[in-house]
Amino acid sequence: MSLYKKMHDVMCETEAIEKKVEVGWGKNAYKAVGEKEVLNMMKPLFKKYGLIMFPIEMNPVDRVDNFHTKDGESSRLMTQVSPKFKLVDIETGEFEIIASIGNGVDTQDKASGKALTYSLKVALQKTFMLFSGEDTDN
């Protein structure tokens, strides 16, 4: 079976993915698709079809934002990554390069990890057409 046939079969075995994660707080809170939901859906299918996916490029860009709060000065790091992931069929060696993007914000050292997590989640959602059941154009 070719890589593209396996990708198609994975798409055929997936449906909508639920927004179960509450992000933010107060009037800025919203529901989102979590990494756990995406990976729990995709990992068994990757195992079944002999697919692996891993980052091969990152291209990080960091930005430090300094701002005033009611408690004084604060700063946070925003990292944007534009990774390329390699999707490989372990039986044939066929592969496809999947480009993505992700931002991560943290006040300590986790911005790059958050950005990579988000970019992998987006790459899987868009490559395998995992819709959230919500029309994002609204």
Side-chain angles (χ1 to χ4, degrees):
M1 188 182 315
S2 74
L3 172 61
Y4 292 125
K5 172 68 172 122
K6 289 181 178 185
M7 290 174 71
H8 177 260
D9 287 351
V10 168
M11 280 186 213
C12 290
E13 290 192 38
T14 58
E15 295 296 331
I17 193 159
E18 220 175 301
K19 291 184 173 186
K20 293 184 177 181
V21 175
E22 184 82 20
V23 180
W25 57 88
K27 66 179 182 176
N28 294 319
Y30 61 94
K31 289 281 205 182
V33 173
E35 177 191 31
K36 180 172 99 172
E37 283 71 38
V38 174
L39 295 182
N40 283 342
M41 181 182 285
M42 299 306 295
K43 189 171 181 179
L45 295 171
F46 274 39
K47 286 180 177 181
K48 177 179 178 178
Y49 290 103
L51 301 173
I52 60 173
M53 189 168 170
F54 52 91
I56 57 172
E57 282 183 34
M58 287 297 151
N59 305 310
V61 176
D62 291 324
R63 185 181 82 211
V64 176
D65 292 324
N66 297 305
F67 53 95
H68 302 285
T69 70
K70 64 181 170 115
D71 298 323
E73 294 289 320
S74 189
S75 65
R76 66 179 173 210
L77 175 64
M78 197 278 288
T79 300
Q80 182 176 75
V81 294
S82 303
K84 291 184 180 167
F85 294 94
K86 193 171 192 177
L87 177 64
V88 181
D89 179 339
I90 63 170
E91 294 171 0
T92 66
E94 288 179 272
F95 67 89
E96 189 63 48
I97 304 300
I98 311 294
S100 189
I101 194 163
N103 295 324
V105 177
D106 197 76
T107 56
Q108 296 178 356
D109 63 347
K110 295 175 181 54
S112 59
K114 290 177 179 182
L116 183 58
T117 295
Y118 188 82
S119 65
L120 174 60
K121 184 176 74 166
V122 168
L124 289 169
Q125 286 178 272
K126 298 307 179 187
T127 300
F128 294 100
M129 297 181 183
L130 305 176
F131 59 95
S132 66
E134 180 180 295
D135 185 356
T136 57
D137 289 335
N138 286 331

